[in-house]
Amino acid sequence: MSNRVGIKEGQNPLRLMAVLCALMGFASISTDFYLPAMPTMARAFHVGPGAMEWTIAAYLVGFSSGQLFWGPAGDRFGRKGPIAIGLVLFVIGSAGCAMAGSAAAVIGWRVLQALGACAGVVLSRAMVRDLYGPEKSGQMLSTLITVMAIAPLVGPLLGGQILLWAGWRAIFWLLVAVGITTGLGLATIPETLPVERRSQGGLIQAFGDYRRLAVDRRVLSCALIGGFYYVGVYAYVAGSPLAFITYHHVPAQAFGVVFGLGILGIMAANMANVRLLPLYGGWALMRWGVGLAAASGLAMAIVAATGWGGMVALALCCFVFVAASGLIVANSMARAMAQHPRQAGAVSAMMGAAQYGSGMIGSALISFFADGTPRPMALTIAFGGMAAYACLGLNGKGEGKVGHGG
């Protein structure tokens, strides 16, 4: 039994993919657009660079905790309704950031923005599982992530230009427009979770499912691998503006080029993942990705400590570490959801909460240990990569060449 709905006759698959990509992209566009503006915002609010990095940590607080609500809500009430409510919260939070008068106000509005944004991210992954089942969900997630990666590729470049011509507040007004446009697109696609397949218990019972999921070794190990990896990812997101703009004197308008190289790596790795999944299976590919993350993180720590290779060596290590997500994220998510197809929303939420909750730790460490050098970023990334590699032993052995991540 495949437990999938599939795309029905008369539905537009390109429109569906566009909306799913937009929803999955909210995690990145909410931060990547304003990364080049962080030093400018710090000067405008008369605070140090570490204070603005707390805006990322605050976002991750809302993003990780909110997923634990939206996942069960999507399993109980369907996908589209909760996503629509989340988009409203995202628009309000983005507008609040645009009008904020202090760094503390931005931090507060970022929490609300994140609570809304995470609804679309967590439930769009569940929609993929609804439509394509266990056999194809890993490949489709990789395909969508590849297309969606255009947002973080363009985001810093566009954000840098908006900063130059219109100021940092215009970046958040652009996010308001993105939220409204995505809501209009959501209205044009079908609900993917039929009433007969929805969870019949109340939300309290749905939240109880997390306890059962947490003792499933495969789900837990995938969550830990993704979580530790995201410690490094968000250490990079939070620390790269300081490392490249402040320390290595890369112009804010050119920072998007450096940041975009990593996104190109993600896209290439996801494209390779789609082709290699039928041959090697998601378990093997996930192991390769985690190995790359651990090795590049360790190399980055050495580069930052010694100064060897300068900015080029640092950027190369960042590129490899970030690109590894193309082999880690989709495969770990698909492997976990394959174990509990009727709780796909809850599994997606648990995985996402682990990832972005850990990302909060990564960005907070950067803020706390900020010393004006790339060292805190590099050491945190090395820790995340090595810890993720250590968690591979919890997953057990793979089951062969299974395309759904097994």
Side-chain angles (χ1 to χ4, degrees):
M1 184 174 179
S2 65
N3 290 303
R4 72 178 235 181
V5 174
I7 299 177
K8 298 178 181 178
E9 185 176 355
Q11 295 177 4
N12 187 326
L14 293 179
R15 180 189 302 160
L16 178 63
M17 177 175 284
V19 174
L20 290 175
C21 284
L23 292 170
M24 292 180 69
F26 270 75
S28 57
I29 65 171
S30 302
T31 296
D32 296 342
F33 273 36
Y34 87 101
L35 282 179
M38 287 175 63
T40 301
M41 293 171 68
R43 291 192 295 270
F45 293 133
H46 306 290
V47 296
M52 293 315 303
E53 287 164 356
W54 281 109
T55 64
I56 296 177
Y59 181 84
L60 293 173
V61 169
F63 202 91
S64 58
S65 60
Q67 291 191 61
L68 296 175
F69 169 79
W70 294 118
D75 289 337
R76 177 67 180 86
F77 300 110
R79 313 303 190 196
K80 288 183 62 177
I83 291 175
I85 296 171
L87 288 173
V88 171
L89 295 178
F90 175 82
V91 168
I92 295 172
S94 299
C97 290
M99 296 184 290
S102 67
V106 174
I107 290 171
W109 285 114
R110 286 280 285 168
V111 174
L112 181 63
Q113 184 190 47
L115 287 171
C118 67
V121 175
V122 67
L123 294 179
S124 63
R125 294 191 297 246
M127 292 174 80
V128 171
R129 179 60 178 76
D130 295 339
L131 291 167
Y132 297 100
E135 297 83 5
K136 292 288 186 179
S137 59
Q139 291 176 300
M140 286 307 302
L141 282 170
S142 277
T143 301
L144 289 169
I145 291 171
T146 303
V147 178
M148 178 271 292
I150 294 173
L153 178 64
V154 174
L157 291 169
L158 181 58
Q161 296 307 311
I162 294 174
L163 174 66
L164 179 64
W165 296 104
W168 66 267
R169 295 182 188 274
I171 296 173
F172 289 101
W173 286 121
L174 175 62
L175 293 177
V176 170
V178 170
I180 293 173
T181 302
T182 304
L184 295 175
L186 178 68
T188 68
I189 66 172
E191 172 61 62
T192 63
L193 187 65
V195 174
E196 64 271 15
R197 288 184 51 210
R198 296 178 187 177
S199 172
Q200 298 306 307
L203 284 180
I204 299 299
Q205 178 182 330
F207 291 134
D209 288 341
Y210 286 126
R211 181 178 180 181
R212 182 165 62 89
L213 295 174
V215 298
D216 184 314
R217 188 177 70 172
R218 288 187 187 173
V219 175
L220 179 61
S221 61
C222 287
L224 288 172
I225 288 169
F228 280 119
Y229 177 68
Y230 266 65
V231 168
V233 167
Y234 272 88
Y236 169 69
V237 170
S240 57
L242 185 148
F244 291 105
I245 297 175
T246 303
Y247 187 80
H248 283 294
H249 308 293
V250 174
Q253 285 69 44
F255 169 74
V257 176
V258 178
F259 194 84
L261 290 175
I263 307 304
L264 289 175
I266 293 175
M267 296 173 71
N270 272 289
M271 292 171 65
N273 191 57
V274 171
R275 293 183 176 274
L276 295 175
L277 263 170
L279 299 176
Y280 299 102
W283 165 240
L285 294 174
M286 184 171 67
R287 279 189 307 164
W288 298 350
V290 174
L292 283 173
S296 58
L298 186 59
M300 193 186 310
I302 295 173
V303 168
T306 63
W308 181 85
M311 189 195 75
V312 173
L314 184 68
L316 179 61
C317 292
C318 289
F319 171 83
V320 176
F321 181 85
V322 173
S325 74
L327 301 177
I328 297 171
V329 176
N331 290 322
S332 62
M333 187 68 65
R335 182 177 174 88
M337 288 194 294
Q339 312 304 313
H340 302 275
R342 294 189 67 86
Q343 288 82 40
V347 174
S348 176
M350 180 177 170
M351 291 285 293
Q355 291 171 355
Y356 292 100
S358 298
M360 174 185 65
I361 296 172
S363 60
L365 287 172
I366 297 301
S367 300
F368 187 78
F369 290 108
D371 62 358
T373 76
R375 284 192 294 270
M377 177 187 76
L379 290 173
T380 305
I381 288 174
F383 164 75
M386 296 299 291
Y389 188 82
C391 290
L392 285 173
L394 301 175
N395 213 315
K397 296 182 179 179
E399 288 75 31
K401 301 172 183 178
V402 182
H404 60 66

